[in-house]
Short mmCIF file of all heavy atoms in Angstrom, two decimals:
data_model
loop_
_atom_site.label_atom_id
_atom_site.label_comp_id
_atom_site.label_asym_id
_atom_site.label_seq_id
_atom_site.Cartn_x
_atom_site.Cartn_y
_atom_site.Cartn_z
N SER A 114 7.27 122.36 132.27
CA SER A 114 8.03 123.54 131.87
C SER A 114 7.41 124.76 132.53
O SER A 114 6.20 124.99 132.42
CB SER A 114 8.02 123.70 130.36
OG SER A 114 8.61 124.92 129.98
N LYS A 115 8.24 125.55 133.19
CA LYS A 115 7.75 126.75 133.86
C LYS A 115 7.25 127.80 132.87
O LYS A 115 6.49 128.68 133.22
CB LYS A 115 8.85 127.35 134.73
CG LYS A 115 9.22 126.46 135.89
CD LYS A 115 10.36 127.05 136.70
CE LYS A 115 10.75 126.12 137.81
NZ LYS A 115 11.89 126.59 138.58
N SER A 116 7.69 127.67 131.62
CA SER A 116 7.29 128.67 130.62
C SER A 116 5.95 128.33 129.96
O SER A 116 5.47 129.09 129.13
CB SER A 116 8.37 128.81 129.56
OG SER A 116 8.55 127.59 128.86
N LEU A 117 5.34 127.21 130.34
CA LEU A 117 4.06 126.81 129.77
C LEU A 117 2.96 126.84 130.83
O LEU A 117 3.23 126.67 132.02
CB LEU A 117 4.16 125.39 129.19
CG LEU A 117 5.16 125.17 128.07
CD1 LEU A 117 5.21 123.70 127.69
CD2 LEU A 117 4.83 126.02 126.85
N SER A 118 1.73 126.98 130.37
CA SER A 118 0.58 126.91 131.28
C SER A 118 0.36 125.46 131.68
O SER A 118 0.90 124.53 131.07
CB SER A 118 -0.67 127.45 130.59
OG SER A 118 -1.07 126.55 129.56
N ASP A 119 -0.49 125.23 132.69
CA ASP A 119 -0.82 123.87 133.10
C ASP A 119 -1.42 123.09 131.93
O ASP A 119 -1.08 121.92 131.71
CB ASP A 119 -1.80 123.89 134.27
CG ASP A 119 -1.15 124.37 135.57
OD1 ASP A 119 0.10 124.41 135.65
OD2 ASP A 119 -1.91 124.70 136.50
N GLU A 120 -2.30 123.73 131.18
CA GLU A 120 -2.94 123.08 130.04
C GLU A 120 -1.91 122.72 128.96
O GLU A 120 -1.94 121.62 128.39
CB GLU A 120 -4.02 124.00 129.46
CG GLU A 120 -4.80 123.36 128.32
CD GLU A 120 -5.90 124.29 127.81
OE1 GLU A 120 -6.91 124.45 128.53
OE2 GLU A 120 -5.71 124.85 126.72
N GLU A 121 -0.98 123.65 128.67
CA GLU A 121 0.04 123.39 127.66
C GLU A 121 0.99 122.27 128.11
O GLU A 121 1.39 121.42 127.31
CB GLU A 121 0.84 124.66 127.38
CG GLU A 121 0.05 125.73 126.67
CD GLU A 121 0.76 127.08 126.65
OE1 GLU A 121 1.37 127.47 127.68
OE2 GLU A 121 0.72 127.74 125.59
N ASN A 122 1.35 122.26 129.40
CA ASN A 122 2.19 121.19 129.92
C ASN A 122 1.51 119.83 129.78
O ASN A 122 2.13 118.85 129.39
CB ASN A 122 2.56 121.45 131.38
CG ASN A 122 3.81 122.27 131.52
OD1 ASN A 122 4.86 121.92 131.00
ND2 ASN A 122 3.72 123.36 132.26
N LEU A 123 0.21 119.78 130.12
CA LEU A 123 -0.53 118.53 130.02
C LEU A 123 -0.57 118.04 128.58
O LEU A 123 -0.35 116.86 128.31
CB LEU A 123 -1.94 118.70 130.58
CG LEU A 123 -2.83 117.46 130.54
CD1 LEU A 123 -2.21 116.32 131.34
CD2 LEU A 123 -4.21 117.79 131.07
N LYS A 124 -0.83 118.96 127.65
CA LYS A 124 -0.90 118.59 126.24
C LYS A 124 0.46 118.10 125.73
O LYS A 124 0.54 117.10 125.01
CB LYS A 124 -1.36 119.78 125.41
CG LYS A 124 -1.54 119.47 123.95
CD LYS A 124 -2.08 120.65 123.18
CE LYS A 124 -2.22 120.31 121.70
NZ LYS A 124 -2.68 121.44 120.91
N LEU A 125 1.54 118.76 126.13
CA LEU A 125 2.87 118.42 125.63
C LEU A 125 3.45 117.18 126.30
O LEU A 125 4.00 116.30 125.64
CB LEU A 125 3.82 119.61 125.83
CG LEU A 125 5.25 119.44 125.32
CD1 LEU A 125 5.27 119.22 123.82
CD2 LEU A 125 6.06 120.69 125.66
N PHE A 126 3.32 117.06 127.62
CA PHE A 126 4.00 116.01 128.36
C PHE A 126 3.09 114.85 128.78
O PHE A 126 3.59 113.84 129.28
CB PHE A 126 4.70 116.60 129.60
CG PHE A 126 5.79 117.56 129.25
CD1 PHE A 126 5.64 118.92 129.50
CD2 PHE A 126 6.97 117.14 128.66
CE1 PHE A 126 6.64 119.82 129.18
CE2 PHE A 126 7.97 118.02 128.32
CZ PHE A 126 7.81 119.37 128.58
N GLY A 127 1.78 114.99 128.61
CA GLY A 127 0.86 113.89 128.90
C GLY A 127 1.00 113.39 130.32
O GLY A 127 1.03 114.16 131.27
N LYS A 128 1.09 112.05 130.47
CA LYS A 128 1.13 111.46 131.81
C LYS A 128 2.40 111.84 132.58
O LYS A 128 2.44 111.69 133.80
CB LYS A 128 0.98 109.95 131.75
CG LYS A 128 2.17 109.21 131.16
CD LYS A 128 1.94 107.72 131.19
CE LYS A 128 3.20 107.01 130.71
NZ LYS A 128 3.07 105.56 130.81
N CYS A 129 3.42 112.32 131.89
CA CYS A 129 4.64 112.74 132.58
C CYS A 129 4.49 114.12 133.21
O CYS A 129 5.35 114.57 133.95
CB CYS A 129 5.82 112.75 131.61
SG CYS A 129 6.30 111.11 131.05
N ASN A 130 3.39 114.81 132.90
CA ASN A 130 3.10 116.11 133.50
C ASN A 130 2.45 115.89 134.85
O ASN A 130 1.31 115.45 134.94
CB ASN A 130 2.18 116.93 132.60
CG ASN A 130 1.79 118.23 133.24
OD1 ASN A 130 2.64 119.02 133.62
ND2 ASN A 130 0.50 118.46 133.36
N ASN A 131 3.18 116.17 135.91
CA ASN A 131 2.66 116.02 137.26
C ASN A 131 3.23 117.15 138.09
O ASN A 131 4.46 117.26 138.21
CB ASN A 131 3.07 114.66 137.83
CG ASN A 131 2.49 114.40 139.18
OD1 ASN A 131 2.13 115.31 139.92
ND2 ASN A 131 2.39 113.13 139.54
N VAL A 193 14.03 121.98 131.36
CA VAL A 193 13.08 120.88 131.51
C VAL A 193 13.85 119.56 131.55
O VAL A 193 14.72 119.31 130.71
CB VAL A 193 12.06 120.87 130.35
CG1 VAL A 193 11.07 119.73 130.52
CG2 VAL A 193 11.33 122.20 130.27
#
Side-chain angles (χ1 to χ4, degrees):
S114 173
K115 293 177 183 177
S116 63
L117 299 175
S118 69
D119 289 345
E120 183 178 287
E121 291 168 319
N122 272 305
L123 180 59
K124 183 177 179 182
L125 182 62
F126 296 110
K128 70 178 185 176
C129 293
N130 176 56
N131 184 337
V193 180

